[in-house]
Amino acid sequence: MALKDVAVLLVEDDPVFRQVVASFLCSRGASVCEAADGEQGLSKFSQQRFDVVLADLSMPVMGGLDMLKAMSGLDARVPSIVISGNDVMADVVEALRLGASDYLVKPIPDLYIIEQAINQCLAEVTHTDPVLSQLEELSYQELNDNLALLEQNAQAAKSVQQQLFPASNISYPHAKIDYSLFKDNDISAYFIDSTMVGSEHLILYMAHFHPEDNRAAFGCVLLRSFVNQKLKLFRNGLSKTIIEPFNMLSYLNERMVKSGLDIYVDIIYISIELTKFRAGIAQAGQGLRCYLRNNEGLSPLALPESLQLGILDWGKPSIQFRTLMPGEQLCIATHDPLHKQLLLQNQFKGLVYDVNIPAGGFIQLRL
């Protein structure tokens, strides 16, 4: 299960909402300890260890902010997610300043949003590989200094990259993503990623890094880090760039250029408005192609040519908007005929090492 063995401290004064959330989290594999107010929550926090705290901000006896302050003094390493019932941004901002990883606003339309928020904050604080943990916190100068490490150490680069790839089949509340990427050496020059952005949008992208060496692993870390920055700003109500494909690719190009690294990227970036089945699609470079898939096969979308990310005099990405019809899927694929054949055969295997298949692959979004 998605939250298997995750210990959650749920602090919520509304008994009905608390029971609904606790039952859902338990059904997803979590171990849930409940508290009815901040004082009870702090008492339970001091008695046992939790992986994450999920807490309402407005509670009797002791409010969420005072509780978080006290918890931080006991163990600042435990991540927290706050729930605001009155949408008072001053309290939310203060909670984030105190170290909360994320916030949610009642009413929560889909409980899977809570699961996703928990997984996101756990991913930010849990790194099994010290190389990845260090790279995500480095300044640009430190990034540049450590590029030599990944260039010279294939095992370190491979380890970093493998941790970034998701499972071959990713299920969201209103969508499913499947992919196959084939590599013919330790490092993949291709990368995919996706995430829910709030409750109404989903973003996904596929990227191809140049040069195709150990630096591709480094490029994956950079790209994921830049996307996560905009994701956090969106969740804090400070920016909508992450759901605006044109602006997102412009931002990513600026960051790639300013990094001072000679890494260039072909990328297709898609933002889906789930309630309206409307997709915004932006493209940089020429190495990837976006398709509409239906019962008749694959139909390529006509996107104007654009330069790769990482070029100083870049210009702008190409952009298109589409409303998906029932039964249509959006796909991104490399140009190799074998990859398109495997896509039509629904051969979704995740990241695969196979010297008999050209490097590259495909990703499919089904609503």
Side-chain angles (χ1 to χ4, degrees), residues 226-269:
F226 296 155
V227 171
N228 282 348
Q229 288 176 27
K230 287 300 182 185
L231 179 62
K232 289 180 180 179
L233 289 175
F234 180 93
R235 289 176 171 170
N236 293 340
L238 301 175
S239 172
K240 293 185 177 181
T241 297
I242 194 167
I243 60 172
E244 300 168 339
F246 182 99
N247 292 331
M248 191 64 187
L249 287 198
S250 299
Y251 159 75
L252 291 175
N253 182 70
E254 178 187 4
R255 297 304 301 266
M256 285 291 181
V257 170
K258 288 183 177 179
S259 72
L261 305 173
D262 293 326
I263 297 177
Y264 303 94
V265 191
D266 295 307
I267 186 171
I268 292 180
Y269 185 97

Side-chain angles (χ1 to χ4, degrees), residues 219-230:
C220 294
V221 176
L222 276 180
L223 192 58
R224 171 72 73 80
S225 174
F226 296 155
V227 171
N228 282 348
Q229 288 176 27
K230 287 300 182 185

Side-chain angles (χ1 to χ4, degrees), residues 107-127:
I108 299 174
D110 194 323
L111 293 177
Y112 280 94
I113 294 174
I114 299 177
E115 178 183 343
Q116 183 188 11
I118 291 174
N119 282 325
Q120 179 74 25
C121 76
L122 291 179
E124 291 175 359
V125 300
T126 305
H127 301 286

